[in-house]
Amino acid sequence: MPGSPDQSRPSPDVLLRVAAREGRGRMKLFLGAAPGVGKTCEMLREAHAKRLEGRDVVVGVVETHQRTGTQALMPGLEVLPRREVSYRGQTLAEMDLDAILKRQPDLVLVDELAHSNAEGSRHPKRWMDVADLLDAGIDVYSTMNVQHLESANEVVAKVTGVIVRETVPDSVLDLASDIEIVDITPDELRQRLADGKIYPADVASRALAGFFTPGNLTALRELALRRTAERVDEAMRAHRQEHGIQETWDASERIIACIDGGPAGANVVRRAKRLAERLRAPWTVVHVARGEAADAPERAGVLEAFRLAAELGAETRMLTGDDPAGDVIAYARDANASHIVLGAAARPWPVELVHGSMVRRLVREAGDIALVVCPQDQTRQARRTLAGAPPHLGTPEGHLGALIMVAAAAALATAADRLIDLPNASLFFVIPIILAAIQSGAAVSMVAAVASMLAYNFFLTEPYFTFHIADPRNVFAVIFFLAVGLITSGVAAQARARLMLARRQERQASALQDFAARLVTSDSVNDAAQTTAEVTASLLKAVALVLVPRGASLEPAGEAPGPVTLASSEVAAAQWTFDHGSATGRGADTLPGGRWLFVPVPGETGRAGVIGLMPHDGETRLDPEQRRLLDLIAAQAGVAFERAAYAQRVESARLEAESERLKGALLSSVSHDLRTPLATVSAALQTLRLFPGGQSEDERAELLAVADSETRRLSGFVEHLLDMVRIDAGAVRPDREPVEVSDLIAAALARADLALKGRQVELDASSALPRVQVDYQLAVAALANVLENAGKHTPDGAAISVRARRAGAGVAIDVADSGPGIPPDLMPQLFEKFARGASGDGRPPGTGLGLAIARGFLDAQGARITASNRADGTGALFRIDLPLAQDAAP
């Protein structure tokens, strides 16, 4: 068609794919149905042939499994040494990826593509290593059995009863430029097994009775052939796209069935099904959605036809565009379809004159694609067809607005014609025709065109103000005017449809892009679930609910647009969806009468959750395009859920490791400080017990005093540990009350008297200071810890200064010691747990918890502690700021 793109040229996306392959290596995959069919041997034979051609061939990894036939093919090939990896007390030999990349051969042999690498390797899977080799421009030969494909895993488990643990994503097949099936008959494979060529005799006998039964091998062969056939078909389609080939290649049969929203859709689907059965061909049912939203009957007809097609085994596809015939032809050529099935509509000739004939268009442009047209007697009830659905009738407001614009145009044209005698006053009527098409669609625009023709005849052709035409030449002018009006109407309506379609696609693409961006920034499963629910509800015009597994059940993690309540039966349906991995509920094959549709959220290791959907508009099922959109949302959500869960596991592991580190630090920190007083107390008591009469009264009193002092010291350590546990657990609940500052300081000095023994305390605290609003016990403990810290760092006989003063809106208590001061590298973490400076004897004193406890107690009640070195360089200065009591506030 004029203005359509040149379909003979490759699309930009195809050219980008081709460009992306430039410089990459090529991989040939030897695919087998079961172990022992000879994949590795075939790979080695081809490697020898390439070496004789002059190619630089090396063996990255080949598993011979001690099979004589495989070992006999190894001599003559350069084998790169493997890399040894220590794993759980064993030494494993893995492929040395770095050595291969450094060696840069032309071709490298990598056996067993689905192999899982040992921990410590660059990649967890061998196929990821192969991807790196291909990116480096190195060609690869590799082997794999079909049961290792992720999509085939469940099928293989059902057929053989064996669950394959090592799998690769199906997308790995896209890495292969060539796939070669290595196959032998089941009887031959079983004979090789019985002869001991694959497994030892004892293992072979069990394998013959288990995995290698004739039925299992036949099913696996069919699975391998089907997967390869699909890959070959994709390769052929890619080749046609890359070279802009439009002609159909009859390499295989493929059926495309075109439906509209009329009753003929079911008949078209059944005819396509019968044709597909006769030709043993895959078939797809398509519908082209225009820019304007379909009315309820048309949408219901499309969904019913899609439901029937799905039941009969067809793929379904919703296309979007404003040129249904052109879109269907383009899709058929892209799919290399051999037949197109559609219905012949019994439409009046004026409708076909305006909209054209789908059948005639396809006959002209389908080329070598065969057309199958359902007879009219099967489609006589149809009111619309794919190629020419009549336009929507529009709203009364739209028609009224169009008539008003035509009346205004008639008035302006008449006035202009009378005043300045314009030769082309009819152009005034083009404006309402175009505006009507843009605002209200084709039907209203056509009404505007007819009304414009009548107004033009009535007001601007002689005799004026009648519909009679005196001059025969004006008859042709009026007819020509009507034709131009109708054509203009159609063009404007088509432009409107394209604009609406582009806007809808742009909104959808923008929403999905925003969805992906929001998922990336979601730091929890709940955040990702809520984002998923909001985007699903917005794009699909529905109430959305996201459920994630918590323990043995599913729990809501996101909902939109508001609170959602599920009945017990709906919860059971969601659980069934999660357990079985298939849709349940509204419009699905299971429980189709429910209010909700539940679809699984796929995850890498299973299901990550369930999305529930309840449409607003009363639709019984989603169309294929909506379902594909929902599946896309679910897939992205699954990745986000697992990423968030993984991040949470990493954070939990980090916290656990941090907890273990803190435990170790705690034990290391307090071991000496706990052992020393315990040893002292024990020695004193043993002396008193073993030598009851060997001491004088003064010596006994001294021993008891030492035991008492060390017991109090030990009690202080234990109190510190318990206080730190309270702070970490968030169990500190301050009970704030007005307190005299002098009483607070006195209590703290009494509590820290043991640490301050032998030091001079210089106190400057006026009784006239206002009261402060604090928790008395917590404030005393905090100040006592600061005083004890000062005592530990101040030499015997030196002074510790305690000064209380009014500072701004509170009271500041300064505690200055005479120690070595705070090292600059310790300042940032001074109030952290286990942070300790050096005492006079060079050993870090205490447990390193005192200042951390002080800060925790003060922060809990709105107070603050800071630290610095004294200006004269003679020690450290700690400042505690306490808030004023309410009755003391200025």
Side-chain angles (χ1 to χ4, degrees):
M1 292 184 64
S4 63
D6 186 357
Q7 299 294 336
S8 65
R9 295 183 179 180
S11 69
D13 292 337
V14 172
L15 294 176
L16 288 175
R17 289 202 302 268
V18 173
R21 292 201 298 266
E22 294 293 333
R24 284 176 53 86
R26 294 173 59 87
M27 181 175 79
K28 182 173 184 178
L29 179 64
F30 296 85
L31 183 66
V37 296
K39 304 179 301 299
T40 304
C41 290
E42 183 64 24
M43 178 179 69
L44 290 171
R45 293 189 191 98
E46 288 213 18
H48 280 289
K50 293 297 182 183
R51 186 178 66 83
L52 293 176
E53 293 175 3
R55 298 287 300 278
D56 181 14
V57 182
V58 300
V59 175
V61 57
V62 168
E63 304 292 353
T64 63
H65 299 293
Q66 304 302 317
R67 297 169 186 168
T68 56
T70 306
Q71 291 174 334
L73 292 170
M74 290 294 294
L77 295 175
E78 178 185 349
V79 180
L80 293 181
R82 300 196 196 182
R83 182 174 57 89
E84 293 186 350
V85 179
S86 179
Y87 178 67
R88 295 184 179 179
Q90 298 180 353
T91 300
L92 304 178
E94 295 288 357
M95 183 180 74
D96 194 338
L97 175 61
D98 293 328
I100 298 173
L101 293 173
K102 184 178 180 180
R103 171 69 170 72
Q104 282 290 312
D106 291 339
L107 173 64
V108 61
L109 309 186
V110 181
D111 205 7
E112 297 187 358
L113 186 63
H115 171 77
S116 296
N117 294 330
E119 290 185 8
S121 302
R122 181 188 297 188
H123 299 299
K125 293 287 189 178
R126 184 169 289 169
W127 67 264
M128 298 178 181
D129 296 337
V130 168
D132 283 358
L133 294 174
L134 296 175
D135 288 339
I138 301 173
D139 291 348
V140 176
Y141 279 0
S142 190
T143 65
M144 189 179 69
N145 288 325
V146 70
Q147 63 261 32
H148 293 293
L149 278 176
E150 182 64 43
S151 64
N153 188 261
E154 187 175 354
V155 177
V156 173
K158 289 180 179 179
V159 171
T160 66
V162 177
I163 299 177
V164 180
R165 301 297 181 186
E166 289 186 328
T167 61
V168 300
D170 286 38
S171 59
V172 172
L173 291 182
D174 295 335
L175 297 176
S177 303
D178 302 291
I179 298 179
E180 179 177 328
I181 288 285
V182 181
D183 188 31
I184 60 177
T185 65
D187 291 340
E188 185 179 354
L189 179 57
R190 286 173 57 83
Q191 185 60 48
R192 293 185 61 186
L193 194 64
D195 294 340
K197 296 180 179 179
I198 302 176
Y199 299 139
D202 56 338
V203 178
S205 60
R206 294 195 301 269
L208 284 169
F211 187 89
F212 287 84
T213 63
N216 288 354
L217 295 177
T218 301
L220 291 174
R221 290 182 75 199
E222 180 182 5
L223 187 60
L225 292 171
R226 285 185 179 275
R227 288 293 188 271
T228 307
E230 292 172 0
R231 180 65 178 80
V232 170
D233 183 67
E234 292 174 1
M236 182 185 68
R237 293 173 60 184
H239 176 81
R240 288 165 49 84
Q241 291 178 350
E242 291 172 8
H243 294 82
I245 299 173
Q246 298 186 63
E247 295 78 9
T248 301
W249 288 359
D250 296 330
S252 63
E253 304 286 351
R254 187 180 298 273
I255 314 300
I256 303 294
C258 308
I259 63 169
D260 62 359
N267 294 323
V268 171
V269 169
R270 295 187 184 97
R271 175 62 66 92
K273 169 63 176 176
R274 292 194 296 270
L275 180 61
E277 287 181 342
R278 288 198 300 270
L279 298 177
R280 298 183 179 274
W283 59 300
T284 304
V285 177
V286 302
H287 170 73
V288 180
R290 292 171 176 262
E292 298 185 23
D295 55 23
E298 179 180 349
R299 181 173 171 79
V302 171
L303 294 179
E304 179 60 26
F306 276 140
R307 182 196 62 78
L308 177 62
E311 289 180 356
L312 296 178
E315 294 184 11
T316 56
R317 184 79 175 177
M318 180 76 78
L319 307 178
T320 54
D322 58 350
D323 181 17
D327 293 331
V328 168
I329 292 173
Y331 180 80
R333 293 196 184 282
D334 182 64
N336 196 34
S338 58
H339 294 74
I340 295 178
V341 182
L342 72 160
R347 297 176 298 166
W349 67 266
V351 176
E352 286 200 358
L353 181 64
V354 175
H355 298 285
S357 169
M358 177 71 166
V359 176
R360 292 191 181 94
R361 174 83 178 277
L362 289 179
V363 168
R364 290 196 308 268
E365 300 183 16
D368 48 5
I369 302 177
L371 298 182
V372 179
V373 182
C374 294
Q376 283 193 9
D377 59 346
Q378 290 187 330
T379 61
R380 60 184 181 275
Q381 296 179 348
R383 294 293 182 267
R384 290 180 292 267
T385 66
L386 182 67
H392 297 286
L393 297 180
T395 63
E397 293 80 4
H399 287 284
L400 179 59
L403 293 177
I404 292 174
M405 287 189 293
V406 170
L412 291 174
T414 302
D417 183 65
R418 299 296 189 271
L419 293 175
I420 57 177
D421 191 21
L422 285 178
N424 52 357
S426 60
L427 294 179
F428 280 92
F429 294 99
V430 175
I431 298 175
I433 295 174
I434 294 175
L435 291 178
I438 294 175
Q439 294 177 356
S440 304
V444 175
S445 180
M446 290 180 182
V447 171
V450 173
S452 297
M453 182 271 293
L454 295 175
Y456 175 75
N457 180 23
F458 191 80
F459 292 104
L460 297 174
T461 60
E462 297 179 355
Y464 298 121
F465 309 116
T466 70
F467 292 107
H468 177 70
I469 301 176
D471 189 347
R473 290 177 297 178
N474 287 339
V475 174
F476 296 102
V478 170
I479 294 175
F480 180 76
F481 177 82
L482 177 61
V484 170
L486 292 176
I487 293 173
T488 303
S489 168
V491 171
Q494 190 176 51
R496 175 179 183 268
R498 290 179 177 175
L499 177 62
M500 294 180 65
L501 177 61
R503 286 179 176 175
R504 186 175 66 185
Q505 293 175 338
E506 189 276 333
R507 285 195 300 268
Q508 180 174 305
S510 177
L512 290 175
Q513 183 179 7
D514 179 66
F515 175 51
R518 292 174 63 186
L519 285 182
V520 169
T521 59
S522 298
D523 55 2
S524 69
V525 173
N526 285 348
D527 289 343
Q530 183 60 35
T531 298
T532 301
E534 293 171 357
V535 172
T536 303
S538 174
L539 288 179
L540 297 178
K541 304 297 186 293
V543 177
L545 174 67
V546 178
L547 302 102
V548 296
R550 300 279 168 77
S553 61
L554 293 175
E555 294 184 5
E559 52 191 23
V564 175
T565 303
L566 295 180
S568 58
S569 59
E570 294 166 341
V571 174
Q575 188 67 50
W576 191 94
T577 294
F578 182 80
D579 294 337
H580 294 82
S582 60
T584 308
R586 189 173 189 166
D589 295 333
T590 305
L591 303 177
R595 293 190 310 156
W596 288 81
L597 169 66
F598 296 103
V599 298
V601 176
E604 184 177 349
T605 58
R607 262 81 66 186
V610 171
I611 296 178
L613 199 70
M614 184 170 64
H616 292 306
D617 55 8
E619 292 290 349
T620 57
R621 61 189 299 122
L622 301 179
D623 63 42
E625 192 64 26
Q626 290 175 319
R627 184 56 189 272
R628 266 185 282 272
L629 180 60
L630 181 58
D631 290 341
L632 175 61
I633 293 173
Q636 292 192 30
V639 174
F641 291 176
E642 294 208 335
R643 182 188 60 80
Y646 176 75
Q648 290 177 349
R649 289 195 295 270
V650 170
E651 180 64 16
S652 298
R654 188 192 66 80
L655 292 176
E656 184 177 354
E658 179 69 12
S659 176
E660 293 297 326
R661 188 191 67 80
L662 291 178
K663 289 178 183 177
L666 175 63
L667 292 175
S668 174
S669 175
V670 304
S671 58
H672 179 275
D673 295 296
L674 292 177
R675 281 199 305 267
T676 299
L678 282 174
T680 303
V681 171
S682 177
L685 294 178
Q686 285 185 7
T687 300
L688 293 174
R689 181 174 61 83
L690 295 177
F691 307 101
Q695 300 90 19
S696 64
E697 289 297 327
D698 292 341
E699 291 174 336
R700 290 174 60 85
E702 184 178 357
L703 288 173
L704 290 174
V706 169
D708 178 66
S709 173
E710 293 301 314
T711 301
R712 293 173 59 190
R713 180 182 172 193
L714 182 63
S715 176
F717 289 151
V718 174
E719 285 184 10
H720 278 185
L721 293 176
L722 295 177
D723 287 342
M724 201 70 250
V725 170
R726 290 173 60 199
I727 293 173
D728 287 343
V732 177
R733 299 289 184 269
D735 183 14
R736 301 172 63 186
E737 58 182 346
V739 175
E740 295 288 348
V741 176
S742 57
D743 294 342
L744 184 66
I745 296 175
L749 288 171
R751 182 166 175 171
D753 63 337
L754 182 62
L756 298 177
K757 186 177 181 180
R759 284 79 173 170
Q760 301 178 23
V761 177
E762 300 174 354
L763 179 62
D764 180 8
S766 172
S767 58
L769 285 172
R771 294 190 297 178
V772 292
Q773 191 80 11
V774 294
D775 183 302
Y776 179 77
Q777 296 297 334
L778 295 180
V780 168
L783 181 56
N785 284 345
V786 175
L787 291 170
E788 289 177 358
N789 179 79
K792 294 171 184 176
H793 292 85
T794 299
D796 289 343
I800 296 175
S801 170
V802 180
R803 178 189 175 205
R805 54 189 174 82
R806 180 70 181 269
V811 172
I813 300 177
D814 296 329
V815 178
D817 62 39
S818 300
I822 305 172
D825 57 341
L826 182 63
M827 188 69 75
Q829 62 265 21
L830 182 64
F831 294 100
E832 300 294 331
K833 289 180 285 188
F834 311 121
R836 297 184 293 178
S839 63
D841 58 4
R843 184 182 64 83
T847 61
L849 296 175
L851 294 180
I853 293 171
R855 185 183 66 172
F857 282 171
L858 292 172
D859 288 348
Q861 51 190 321
R864 190 167 64 97
I865 181 172
T866 56
S868 62
N869 286 315
R870 297 174 66 171
D872 56 5
T874 59
L877 173 64
F878 290 86
R879 171 173 171 171
I880 298 175
D881 290 289
L882 302 176
L884 293 179
Q886 294 179 356
D887 57 1

